[in-house]
Amino acid sequence: AAIVNWLATLQATSFDGLTGPVKFNSAAERLVDYMVYSIQDPHLSPLPVFRYDSAADALQVLDIATFGNGSTTKPPPDREPDCQPGHHYRQSARGCVACERG
């Protein structure tokens, strides 16, 4: 009975915590809201682009995320591209270059 009462109390609990609202779902999991930022300009100014409302299970688009100093909406690759045999990725060339002989 104590666990049932604890779960009911937990599910009905909500308060403003240090990192934002604290509330729980029916599975006793904390519902956490998220904000996604895009870092812009040389001053590294954060621009909010998405907000996730966990209670409503809703993602809100606040702005368009841009990359490359605002020149594109296509994100950079998260890894080096595969190169054809006999080639390797060279960061300074930002692409695949032929391997040296030997």
Side-chain angles (χ1 to χ4, degrees), residues 24-85:
F24 300 89
N25 65 13
S26 61
E29 298 167 330
R30 181 174 175 195
L31 299 173
V32 180
D33 294 344
Y34 293 93
M35 187 76 78
V36 177
Y37 294 88
S38 178
I39 303 302
Q40 303 289 317
D41 68 52
H43 302 289
L44 302 178
S45 304
L47 173 70
V49 290
F50 296 105
R51 179 181 181 276
Y52 176 69
D53 181 342
S54 58
D57 192 25
L59 182 66
Q60 179 183 13
V61 178
L62 304 172
D63 205 337
I64 303 297
T66 59
F67 305 91
N69 295 326
S71 61
T72 180
T73 57
K74 181 180 177 186
D78 62 351
R79 62 181 58 95
E80 298 170 350
D82 292 330
C83 297
Q84 43 182 289

